[in-house]
Amino acid sequence: MGQFLEKPSQIERSQGIELELIAKNQQLEQEIQQRKALEKRLHILSMVSEQSPVSIVITDVDGNIEYVNPKFTEISGYSLEEVIGQNPRVLKSGHTSPEDYQKLWQQISNGQEWRGEFHNRRKNGELYWEAASISPIKDENGVITHFVAVKEDITLRKLQEERLAHQAHYDALTDLPNRVLGMDRLNQALIQAERQGHLVAVMFVDLDHFKDINDIFGHEIGDYLLVEAAKRLSSCVRKSDTVARLGGDEFLVILPLVSAFSSVELIAHRILDSIQLPFYLLGKELFVSTSIGIALYPRDGQLSSVLMRNADSAMYQSKRQGRNMFSCYLPNLYEIAEHRLKIDYHLRYAQIKNELKLFYQPLLDLVSGKVVGAEALIRWYNPFLGWISPEEFIPIAEEVGLIFELGEWTLSQACQMLKKWQTQYHQLFWIAVNVSPRQLHRPNFATMVCQILEYLQVSSHCLEIEITEGCLMEDTAYIQQLLQQLNEAQIHLSIDDFGTGFASLNYLHRFPFKTLKIDRSFIAEIPHKADSVALVKTIIAIAKGLDMKIVAEGVETEEQLKFLQQEQCDYAQGYLFCKPVSAEDFETYLTTSSDTPFYQMP
Ligand code: C2E
Ligand code: MG
Ligand code: MG
């Protein structure tokens, strides 16, 4: 029995071999089935990718293309042979930022999927939009071996979205921003103005008797007229301004970066002149005029709705007064008085509450291009009233007597900075301080200035006192004596806003002025307006004859600068170089403009 167990019989052995064979066969069969299934799957997958309605790109880990499907070729114009081994950046249009590409790579290299949109370029140069999803492919050990991008052409959808957005924000007839976009731009301008402390002008422009034109000549001509008028309005303003159509023949003009009302007036005149020129429409010659209403932020309102209402009411004022003119919003007397009272009240606490600041605007030598000094300009921000322009609060300070305290503070602040900057930059650096006529009439004005200089140990010839022509008109004997006293103390005197007041040339001769500042309203009109060109040339010639230095204020363009250099004007200040900025920003301006020269003269 034991032997029997150890040695199976012949029958039993052959049965075992048979079973083994069957098992092997079954395993082989299974493997064949599995391979077939795999092949079928691979075939299906390959069909899917070949016939896919979306483009598929497979790259190696370095981003080199190993495979693209036919849809890719159809969309991009590049065949598989053309892109194999290349980087997908062949499609780059330059519209996607390098930072976005960097983020994408970071994400997929970390093993995560990235989804987003590309603005790419087809082989024929056309731009197109793609929505893409890029995923890493990992081997059985979890190591990334490839990346696969699945992309869909969404150009049509994008165009449609753009068209819808355009329709929602632009007027179909004139293609100007409509009321919605106009209001949006106004709100943006107000936010910026509050931060940066400038004015915003809101203008309502309404064509006069437009209804009659429509009735007499028909709507087709009426429409052409609106299109033409829209073009003319747009040509009267700068790129940063907005012209919107509110509806009918009513347009809105927003000037978001106004520093003085004179520039608003200039544009209002330009609009009136431009619309008055004859229109030639469908063989007809038409003459039209406009009525304009202007409201200014923050003077005439803080909110866009209030400014719009006030500009509208000013526009009706223009209509009532005979059309073809502009009017500014005039709040009723009660509102004016109330506003002045508020300014007066808050101004009394402005100094204690640290609401006042001195800003500085660089003065440049027009030969060397270097900053030789700065004009100190006062700034006031009150949490209730917002930014208030010195042109608004200085007259009130003068009226209620606060100007003396304010003027003394300004002088001592400016002299402190003068001392600092002389040590920091150069010993001849100068600061110009505006002094209002009322201050000059305070007894001992000259003594006060000298005391400040002495206390701070600042040399007097680097302080320049700017006074306007107006104060020379009154009490000339007293003023003459005072100016003489300041001159003897070696304080430089400068005549500000020259050309706007009534000062005769005689004054230049009689008073000891060292510097003459040409008002920016003249500079704004050079070199295009002949009158202003002649005037500026004459002022420069006279000042030179009297051995005075000349400063041009409000230089905004290269053209103005070139003209002033040709005319041998000595110094300039203006937005072209730098706006008035805080002391810290002034220092940054000087350090970032490099040491020589601060401004590269063309
Ligand atoms: P201003 O003395 O004639 O000062 C020049 C004005 O022109 C400043 O206005 C300045 O910001 C502006 N400005 C400078 N460059 C340009 C430019 O390129 N384009 C344009 N459009 N404007 C430019 P701001 O600071 O509003 O001062 C207005 C006026 O208020 C001054 O005219 C001055 O008369 C008076 N003011 C300013 N600060 C003081 C002060 O501390 N004391 C006194 N009494 N008056 C001051
Ligand atoms: Mg000044
Ligand atoms: Mg001035």
Side-chain angles (χ1 to χ4, degrees):
M1 191 67 182
Q3 225 179 9
F4 177 77
L5 273 175
E6 275 165 23
K7 276 193 170 189
S9 71
Q10 189 74 27
I11 299 167
E12 281 169 332
R13 261 207 315 274
S14 65
Q15 272 177 346
I17 291 167
E18 211 170 298
L19 280 173
E20 219 172 286
L21 271 175
I22 290 171
K24 268 192 182 156
N25 262 346
Q26 274 176 345
Q27 196 183 340
L28 205 65
E29 186 67 23
Q30 226 171 352
E31 275 175 20
I32 290 169
Q33 288 305 328
Q34 274 173 353
R35 196 168 306 147
K36 273 191 177 163
L38 190 67
E39 270 169 15
K40 199 172 167 194
R41 252 195 357 245
L42 280 175
H43 180 69
I44 293 171
L45 273 177
S46 133
M47 297 292 283
V48 165
S49 120
E50 291 289 305
Q51 293 173 29
S52 157
V54 293
S55 59
I56 296 172
V57 181
I58 298 176
T59 73
D60 63 15
V61 275
D62 297 323
N64 300 316
I65 297 175
E66 288 191 358
Y67 168 82
V68 293
N69 71 345
K71 190 69 185 177
F72 171 90
T73 304
E74 185 192 321
I75 292 174
S76 70
Y78 291 102
S79 68
L80 176 62
E81 293 72 36
E82 280 174 307
V83 290
I84 208 128
Q86 298 256 36
N87 191 290
R89 77 171 73 94
V90 287
L91 305 174
K92 235 166 94 169
S93 65
H95 290 246
T96 310
S97 71
E99 293 79 41
D100 284 346
Y101 281 119
Q102 210 179 345
K103 266 190 222 152
L104 179 163
W105 269 106
Q106 243 168 21
Q107 201 159 327
I108 57 174
S109 306
N110 280 341
Q112 290 159 353
E113 184 195 1
W114 178 91
R115 276 170 193 272
E117 288 175 359
F118 291 118
H119 203 185
N120 280 341
R121 195 179 290 282
R122 301 188 213 272
K123 189 179 170 188
N124 65 8
E126 241 176 56
L127 287 170
Y128 69 111
W129 279 98
E130 280 189 315
S133 138
I134 306 179
S135 321
I137 301 174
K138 297 172 187 168
D139 64 13
E140 54 277 17
N141 301 320
V143 177
I144 299 173
T145 59
H146 291 87
F147 296 110
V148 58
V150 178
K151 306 190 291 177
E152 191 186 354
D153 188 340
I154 53 163
T155 313
L156 269 179
R157 194 183 84 201
K158 279 274 180 190
L159 283 178
Q160 224 158 9
E161 278 171 13
E162 267 171 31
R163 215 173 19 245
L164 282 177
H166 193 85
Q167 273 169 11
H169 292 113
Y170 288 84
D171 170 51
L173 180 66
T174 60
D175 208 34
L176 288 178
N178 61 13
R179 179 183 282 271
V180 177
L181 184 58
M183 289 303 284
D184 189 46
R185 297 247 176 105
L186 177 56
N187 285 321
Q188 292 302 325
L190 296 181
I191 293 169
Q192 209 189 353
E194 191 189 340
R195 252 190 250 135
Q196 297 175 355
H198 49 240
L199 313 172
V200 176
V202 179
M203 284 186 182
F204 260 51
V205 180
D206 193 283
L207 300 182
D208 296 328
H209 302 297
F210 179 70
K211 192 178 169 301
D212 294 346
I213 291 172
N214 254 342
D215 291 348
I216 298 165
F217 298 103
H219 286 271
E220 195 182 1
I221 290 230
D223 281 356
Y224 276 120
L225 175 62
L226 290 172
V227 172
E228 268 311 300
K231 281 186 197 152
R232 289 191 192 179
L233 284 176
S234 302
S235 70
C236 290
V237 298
R238 291 174 302 185
K239 270 215 163 70
S240 50
D241 303 330
T242 293
V243 178
R245 184 175 173 217
L246 295 175
D249 61 336
E250 209 170 55
F251 297 90
L252 168 71
V253 177
I254 304 162
L255 311 178
L257 296 165
V258 175
S259 60
F261 183 67
S262 53
S263 55
V264 184
E265 279 181 311
L266 202 80
I267 290 185
H269 279 298
R270 215 182 275 163
I271 292 176
L272 291 173
D273 291 349
S274 147
I275 299 287
Q276 270 192 94
L277 294 173
F279 286 87
Y280 298 99
L281 305 168
L282 298 180
K284 291 196 169 58
E285 187 184 34
L286 292 183
F287 289 91
V288 186
S289 61
T290 37
S291 295
I292 304 175
I294 303 171
L296 265 193
Y297 165 89
R299 189 190 70 187
D300 302 331
Q302 308 274 329
L303 299 174
S304 54
S305 53
V306 176
L307 289 161
M308 294 281 282
R309 191 187 63 214
N310 292 345
D312 193 22
S313 92
M315 191 268 291
Y316 276 101
Q317 180 70 13
S318 291
K319 296 257 182 210
R320 274 194 298 273
Q321 288 185 352
R323 299 176 159 87
N324 193 21
M325 61 180 289
F326 70 85
S327 305
C328 296
Y329 172 67
L330 270 186
N332 64 43
L333 289 176
Y334 170 76
E335 279 172 24
I336 296 175
E338 192 189 42
H339 188 61
R340 284 179 74 87
L341 271 179
K342 273 189 200 159
I343 290 185
D344 175 7
Y345 173 81
H346 289 290
L347 194 56
R348 284 173 199 274
Y349 297 101
Q351 217 169 309
I352 308 169
K353 290 187 178 170
N354 246 337
E355 292 172 359
L356 296 172
K357 244 187 154 190
L358 269 198
F359 269 33
Y360 299 87
Q361 188 175 35
L363 289 151
L364 278 93
D365 181 316
L366 285 187
V367 178
S368 67
K370 286 193 181 184
V371 176
V372 287
E375 177 175 3
L377 293 155
I378 199 163
R379 294 288 176 269
W380 177 29
Y381 180 80
N382 175 272
F384 300 102
L385 304 172
W387 286 100
I388 304 124
S389 150
E391 276 169 339
E392 188 171 8
F393 72 83
I394 294 281
I396 297 176
E398 286 183 326
E399 203 174 290
V400 299
L402 285 170
I403 193 70
F404 305 113
E405 227 178 291
L406 212 77
E408 206 172 322
W409 176 85
T410 308
L411 266 163
S412 72
Q413 289 285 313
C415 288
Q416 280 174 43
M417 278 335 283
L418 178 58
K419 190 175 165 79
K420 181 169 184 248
W421 288 341
Q422 278 190 339
T423 331
Q424 212 161 307
Y425 305 121
H426 52 88
Q427 282 304 310
L428 291 178
F429 189 93
W430 39 282
I431 284 193
V433 179
N434 294 283
V435 166
S436 81
R438 222 18 241 286
Q439 275 175 275
L440 300 179
H441 287 275
R442 181 84 174 232
N444 303 329
F445 173 78
T447 319
M448 182 266 287
V449 182
C450 292
Q451 275 171 353
I452 292 177
L453 290 169
E454 207 176 297
Y455 177 74
L456 293 169
Q457 295 281 297
V458 187
S459 44
S460 49
H461 62 272
C462 291
L463 171 69
E464 189 157 274
I465 286 191
E466 292 192 3
I467 47 183
T468 48
E469 295 167 290
C471 69
L472 307 177
M473 310 286 295
E474 331 147 2
D475 204 355
T476 41
Y478 168 77
I479 293 289
Q480 195 162 19
Q481 192 202 344
L482 172 71
L483 298 189
Q484 209 54 55
Q485 204 181 339
L486 290 167
N487 187 42
E488 276 160 20
Q490 296 201 324
I491 293 163
H492 279 207
L493 295 171
S494 161
I495 183 155
D496 201 359
D497 304 340
F498 188 80
T500 52
F502 305 98
S504 76
L505 293 173
N506 193 20
Y507 287 120
L508 289 183
H509 179 58
R510 273 177 45 204
F511 296 106
F513 288 110
K514 290 266 187 324
T515 311
L516 180 151
K517 297 188 78 170
I518 309 173
D519 191 67
R520 64 174 190 269
S521 56
F522 301 116
I523 306 298
E525 293 179 338
I526 57 170
H528 301 294
K529 213 159 169 193
D531 295 2
S532 296
V533 167
L535 234 136
V536 171
K537 280 186 176 176
T538 315
I539 294 175
I540 293 178
I542 292 170
K544 285 221 177 278
L546 292 170
D547 207 18
M548 292 170 78
K549 291 281 176 208
I550 308 137
V551 180
E553 296 184 331
V555 178
E556 292 185 356
T557 67
E558 297 281 352
E559 263 183 320
Q560 292 166 350
L561 171 63
K562 216 161 149 199
F563 173 88
L564 292 163
Q565 280 175 318
Q566 268 165 11
E567 295 305 315
Q568 290 172 7
C569 174
D570 304 296
Y571 306 106
Q573 67 185 100
Y575 296 169
L576 177 63
F577 316 107
C578 183
K579 288 195 167 182
V581 288
S582 66
E584 303 84 64
D585 289 345
F586 187 85
E587 288 176 5
T588 313
Y589 170 77
L590 287 201
T591 38
T592 51
S593 314
S594 87
D595 42 357
T596 53
F598 287 116
Y599 182 79
Q600 292 292 338
M601 291 295 171

